Each structure stands twice: as C-alpha cells, then as structure tokens.
Amino acid sequence: MASISLSNVHKFYPNGYAAVRDVSLDIKDGEFMILLGPSGCGKSTTLRMIAGLETISKGDLHIGGARMNDIDPADRDVAIVFQNYALYPHMTVIDNLSFGLRLRGVGRAVIDQRVANIADMLGIGELLSRKPAQLSGGQRQRVALGRALVREPKAFLLDEPLSNLDAKLRSAMRTELIKLHRTLGTTIVHVTHDQVEAMTMGERICIMKDGVIVQVGAPMEVYRNPVNTFVAGFLASPPMNLLRSRLSAQSLSLGDTVLALPPALGQAFAAHAEREVIAGMRPEDFHLKADAAASTAPVKVHAVTTEVLGPEVILVATVSGEQGAEIHIRCPRDFRAKPGEIVIFHYDVSQLQLFDPETTYALKRPVQI
Amino acid sequence: MKRIAARVLPHIILCAFSLLILMPLLWILRVSFTDRLTAYKIPPEIGTVGLMNYVEIFARYPFTGWFLNSLIIALGATAIALPLATALAYAFARFNTGGTFLRLGVLASQMLPPIILVLPLFGMFLFAGLMQSHVGLIIAHLTISLPFLSWMLVSFFEGDVARLEEAARVDGATRWQAFRYIAVPVAAPGILAAGLLGFILSWNEFLFALVLSGPSSQTLPVGLAALETHAGVEIAPLAAATVVSLVPVFALLPFLRKHLIKGLSLGALK
Ligand SMILES: Nc1ncnc2c1ncn2[C@@H]1O[C@H](COP(=O)(O)OP(=O)(O)OP(=O)(O)O)[C@@H](O)[C@H]1O
Ligand SMILES: [Mg+2]
C-alpha cells in the first residue's frame, strides 16, 4: 500500500505532442481515485507514466514516498488492468495468474494458496485450466483483475477495465470493485470516461481535459460546485443546463423570464451585476409545484420532446423567449407534454450556478455541499 | 443469378490458375515414371511405367550426396538465420533500432540482384579458404535469408504483442523475460513459418550454390542442372530427381500454411 504523488508532470510524445501538461495530483494511501475525462485527454498516458510504461518528460512521480521516475516498471510493484485485458494468450488462466509471482521466485506452495484464494474470490475456479481464447469477455475481465490482485501490489491502476462489458455486467463489476477496495484498502487509480462509474466508485474524482487537470474533488463536491462549464457539462446525465443570461442587481433574465434572486444570492453576485453570464441549472432543480421554503421562481418553457426512461421522464424544452438553447428537465415518471406545449416549472434558485462567459470559470460557488 | 456468378467466377479463375501451375508438375511426375522416348510424346502418354529413373539417380549419380548437402546447408542456414532474424525483427519492432535507414538498408540488400553479391563473396571465400565448403554456402545463404526473415518477422512483434509485454513488464518481468516468456511464444507461429520459408529458400537456391560449391558440397539444384547438360538432357532421371527434391518442400507446406495463418491472425486476440 502506498500513496502516489505526481508533481508538475509533463508528457511529450516523440512527435512533439504534449499529451499531459503540468499535472500535479496527490493520491492518498488507500484512496480510490478516479481519472475522468473525454477521449484523448491524457488519462491513459498519466496511468502509463505511473506504471512506468511511458517515460516522464518533466516533473516527478513518487510512489510510497520514493521517487519513481527512473525505476523499471517491474520494480514499481503496481498492477495494471488494461481495457483489452492483455491476458497472455499462450498461457492457461492459472499460469496467467501466477506469472508475476513465479517471476519473483515466490514458492510453489504460496503461489498455489494465493491463486486459489483469488480464484475463489472472483469465482473463476472452474476456469483455471482454460486459455484466454476460451473465456467470455466478463471472465477475461475477472482473470485480468485476478492477475493484478494475486500479486498484492502497492497500488492498482485500472484503465477502463469495465468498458468492454455489457451494461448489466458492468454495474455488477462496479459493485464488485467497490467491495474489493473496501476489503483490501489498496490504493486504486481508476481511469474512465463513464461518469456513472466516476460518481459511484471513487472517493475523489480528477477531471482532465486536453492534458491538464481541471478539477479534483469528492464526487458530490465536484457535482455541486463545478469549477467551469466544462465540468458542469461533463458530469451527470443529462448534465447541467448552461444558458446565456443577464445578471441584474437582484435578478437574472433568462429569455423573457426574470428570476428574482434571494437576497443572499443577489449579494453574493453583486460584483457581477449588469453583465452577461452563463447560468448553470441542474435538470433536477426544476419542480412542477412552487415551494415557498425552497425559494423557487417560475420559469416558462416550451416542450420539444420527452424521453420516458421509466423511473423518470426527461423533458427537452426551450425557455420562453430564448429559442436557441435546449434545456433538459428531470420530471416525475407520470409527466407527459406534447411538443409545443407550454409548461411552467418552479426553479430552485438557491441551486443556481453562474459562470463567466469569457473564462468559462464559475463566478462564485454559492452552494455548499 | 448474380450471386451464383459471384461465387462461381472466382473458382473458375482459381482453377485455371492452379491448372497452369499444376500442369508442369504433373508432366514431370509422369515423365519421372517413363523413359526418355515417351517423355516428349504429344499428346502425353504413359508408356512403360517403372521406378527405373528413381533407381538410376541413386545408382548412377551422386544424388544422395546432393540431397545431404542441401539438407545440411538449408538446415544450417536456417538454424543461424532464425534466431538472428528474430532478434533483429524484435529490435526493429520494439526499439526502432537504426531507424528507417537500417530497415530500408536491410530491405535494399534484398532488392539487389543476387549476382552482384556472388563476385565479392567468391573473392572473400577464396581468401578465407571457404570455397567449396558447406560453411561458405551457409554464410552465402544467410545473406538472403537473414534480411528476408527479419522483414517477415517484424510484423509479428508489432501490435498486440507489445501490449502483452507491457502487461508482463508491470507484472515484474525484465525486458529479457518479457521477450523470452511472452513475445517469442506468442509470435511462435510466425517464427516457425519464417523458419520453414527460410529452409525452402535455401533448399531451392541455385546461383550461390552454383558458383561457390564444389564436388563435395554440391546441392540439389546444382546437381539437377548438371543432369541437363550431361549427354543432352537426361529428362527422365531429371524428372525423378526433381520429384524427390520436391518431397521435403511439399512435406513442409501444410505446416507452413497452418502456422502462417495462425501467425497472421494473431491480431485477432483480445
Ligand atoms: N505514442 C503516441 N505518440 C503521439 N501521441 C500519442 C501517443 N499516444 C497517445 N498520444 C496522444 O496523446 C493524447 C492522450 O492519449 P491518451 O491515450 O492518454 O488518451 P485517453 O485520455 O486515455 O483517451 P481514451 O479515453 O480515448 O483512452 C491523445 O491525443 C493521443 O492521440
Ligand atoms: Mg485511454
């Protein structure tokens, strides 16, 4: 078990491309850290630098307090699970599992014991004498995980290990991994671009974009206080609605709707009054009934279409007087609206987030967790 | 209708092609069982059928010697070329050793007409006392098979195998262990196929063998050519000798096919 710390780490590929720039991240001993971001943002590159599969162009990497920049991957004592599993095709499952231990000269009896334990834990006992080609996707995933677990490394690096699984298996494995982390308590760095995985699995999320870290924090913290419109628009599905609007002393103009701000909020944003802002409104903060206690204000929208999901209905609509942007609103499961129908929602203004249209960063984060 | 045509047409073309290649072989097979007179009859006829030509090549010509020489030289050249080519291909694939320059250099040596190499080799072998020796011919054949095999093997070490080695490296393997326990076994079908091809290449090689071998090291292709000039063309024994010299190649082909296909489909693993 060990902490992992990246300080001002850069990665320039031989073709000159800067895949990771000035990344600093402290992952605590035993922490479950998520690396989240769109495709090509440098998540795998970061993970591979931690594992030693890519050289670090600039900056420092410490694992368990020791500098690792120039340490051979074999000696870093971390385990990695790849998206495509990378099981050794010419070896049986049992040989795949025991390969690392055999290289380290661990005794036969100990190997057998550990392999049996892991096989039992992951339910792959029946598969031990098969070759990877004879396994299903889910079984391969378990074997790949087992191969990492059996070595009892200092840290697990998981590079989208669940992305090749079907939805049901993926959610089962998600739970499995969370439980595993709870029993073992080993540091885990989990790369994903699935924001459900990010929200549900990690203790902290590190959101990356174009090779830099945008925000690091606990899932709910990042969810409630996104630092900029990128994070706001990336997390959750449907994500936060982002609408151009105008801020006045005590109100916000959204199309032809004027939202009165509660005094505290008006005060907080006073410095930005009389300017264009981007209003961030979560889909679940629109209610069908007014709630005096929750400081709601009416918003008139034109329904465009509804997505009936079962437990809830997502209404896609435009704000009256602001035909350009579509917003998503989470509605109760029996809600229905015809296209073009006008619906009045009551928006919980206390949840409002405002962003600077030029820098895209949050003006002020008024919402506490 | 169109679908049937689409299925039948390739078969017709392939059959015609196969026939084109097969006919001379069948002709030789027929001739090897007849005598010189019937050999040239048109339309072909069988005439007196017998194994006399096969007996003759062993009795009247040093066929056994040629065969053994070919075997020694082809096996020797392949045994040396294969590990070296494997290492070179691995270096190309994994470390881009020597860059594009060296890769193209190796390829360029394949594009030269072999005749260009014969004279310098002749000079060097004369100087080193390697003329007419098995060792000399093995070295000469290496100039062909080493570049060819390394080019062929590069693709087997690129792609997925590199990912598997990375997994092994993180698992605790040194570079050598990753090569030895992962890369080589995974690329084994390709390496085997390359070995078989190298053997066939050497087995069939004519030009170097003609110039650089002597009576004690003459190989099959050179011996067969000698039959042609002896007293006119000894067509019937020649056919028999050709058939026997083809036996090892045909014996190897099924393996070659199996392993080449297995090797080429390596990319399909997940
Ligand atoms: N060997 C390489 N040479 C040059 N550029 C590379 C190399 N490997 C990756 N890149 C580039 O670096 C960037 C980051 O790649 P990386 O694989 O880390 O992305 P990622 O966040 O893991 O994306 P994904 O979610 O698609 O896996 C990409 O733009 C990619 O094109
Ligand atoms: Mg990736």
Side-chain angles (χ1 to χ4, degrees), chain A residues 216-244:
Chain A
V216 184
M220 275 319 276
E221 185 186 323
V222 177
Y223 178 79
R224 300 300 292 273
N225 295 321
V227 293
N228 62 13
T229 54
F230 169 75
V231 177
F234 193 71
L235 224 52
S237 164
M240 187 181 269
N241 297 298
L242 297 167
L243 288 171
R244 282 200 164 259

Side-chain angles (χ1 to χ4, degrees), chain A residues 11-20 36-48 54 83 159-160 191-193 208 211:
Chain A
K11 175 68 193 183
F12 309 110
Y13 277 112
N15 63 3
Y17 184 75
V20 170
L36 177 70
S39 190
C41 71
K43 308 180 295 287
S44 297
T45 304
T46 306
L47 206 67
R48 291 167 56 82
E54 298 288 350
Q83 178 173 0
D159 194 352
E160 307 196 28
V191 162
T192 181
H193 54 225
M208 295 183 69

